Amino acid sequence: MNRLQTRPATGVRVETRGEVTLAAPDYARTKLLAVLERLDEPVLAARVKLTQEPNRAVAEPSRAQAVVDLNGRPVRAHVAAATMQEAIDLLQDRLNARIARVRRHHEHHRHHGTAPDAGTDGTGHGPRPQRAARSTGDRRIVRHTSYSPARQTPWEAVLELEAMDYDFHLFTDAAGGGDSVVHRDAADGGYRLATAGPRADQVPGLPASTVGAPELTVADAVERLDLSGLPFVFFTDAETGRGNVLYHRHDGHYGLITPVR
């Protein structure tokens, strides 16, 4: 028997938000199963979220997100498009690319102890959901996530950033114990590292800030985020002394990530 005949059937859970067409969930399942059938690893879970943005002013109102658990290792992809069918098609392509990219990163890390450069293969960027236009006075912190960041080396954090299709990833440095962030550089697509305090050592191939994250109140961080035009601000909370991330959400509001005290 070949591999496809012996592979157990994997259910794909699909959830929808907004006015998603009735045909979209089945179309998404078909597209995701086409990805799963090509994999050698056991697929423990697979889910898709389809979101139809009601704001007609948004250029790409259809968003699709997939998370696949490959033998205990989650891989995520997130896209946006003008129509839901186009978004699902792009999701299939991006998920295939993310899985291939994560495999390359893990193989390189296993042999060399680092992750490869971000590269220019296009899998690190678009088509990403665009942020909805919203006036500064109308923006609010509508999501506050507090959790215990995993203790990781900076390159392990880069691997997780890639696997989860994030623009940034908050973690606890395994060596120094400080709150840290790895992120993509919009200018060249490379990786960058920042820590809540001054960093004594440098990570080969991973440019790092040597001055530490600025100490701000949340209100100050909001002001800096709006003025900078950046997708997020990493800062040391003036009250707790911990590294926090304030970021722009796709709905035009803010999200705030704080470590558990």
Side-chain angles (χ1 to χ4, degrees), residues 194-238:
T195 59
R199 187 177 184 87
D201 62 320
Q202 295 296 310
V203 181
L206 186 59
S209 171
T210 58
V211 297
E215 183 175 294
L216 304 171
T217 64
V218 173
D220 291 337
V222 168
E223 183 177 359
R224 178 170 295 206
L225 185 64
D226 288 335
L227 291 175
S228 68
L230 296 172
F232 73 94
V233 168
F234 175 53
F235 66 101
T236 300
D237 187 89

Side-chain angles (χ1 to χ4, degrees), residues 16-21 23-25 27-28 48-53 61-65 79 81-91:
T16 64
R17 294 183 181 180
E19 296 183 0
V20 176
T21 64
Y27 187 65
V48 176
K49 181 167 68 175
L50 307 177
T51 303
Q52 188 65 41
E53 170 64 48
S62 301
R63 300 200 304 270
Q65 175 182 302
V79 301
T83 68
M84 187 57 71
Q85 180 172 334
E86 182 184 359
I88 294 170
D89 289 340
L90 290 172
L91 182 67

Side-chain angles (χ1 to χ4, degrees), residues 84-152:
M84 187 57 71
Q85 180 172 334
E86 182 184 359
I88 294 170
D89 289 340
L90 290 172
L91 182 67
Q92 180 187 31
D93 293 340
R94 187 170 180 87
L95 184 59
N96 274 321
R98 300 313 303 174
I99 292 171
R101 188 176 180 85
V102 167
R103 282 173 172 166
R104 291 196 303 271
H105 276 59
H106 275 275
E107 187 66 16
H108 184 97
H109 187 270
R110 186 169 67 88
H111 289 291
H112 303 285
T114 66
D117 293 336
T120 57
D121 61 3
T123 60
H125 301 284
R128 306 306 298 278
Q130 296 180 349
R131 191 167 71 240
R134 193 179 293 273
S135 64
T136 302
D138 189 38
R139 297 172 188 165
R140 300 288 184 271
I141 297 176
V142 298
R143 184 176 186 183
H144 182 177
T145 304
S146 185
Y147 72 109
S148 297
R151 292 186 72 91
Q152 298 174 315

Side-chain angles (χ1 to χ4, degrees), residues 128-189:
R128 306 306 298 278
Q130 296 180 349
R131 191 167 71 240
R134 193 179 293 273
S135 64
T136 302
D138 189 38
R139 297 172 188 165
R140 300 288 184 271
I141 297 176
V142 298
R143 184 176 186 183
H144 182 177
T145 304
S146 185
Y147 72 109
S148 297
R151 292 186 72 91
Q152 298 174 315
T153 68
W155 282 120
E156 287 171 340
V158 167
L159 293 177
E160 184 158 349
L161 176 145
E162 283 292 345
M164 297 305 291
D165 203 7
Y166 293 152
D167 291 318
F168 62 86
H169 175 53
L170 178 66
F171 69 103
T172 299
D173 191 283
D179 300 318
S180 304
V181 161
V182 289
H183 63 95
R184 294 191 182 97
D185 189 315
D188 61 11

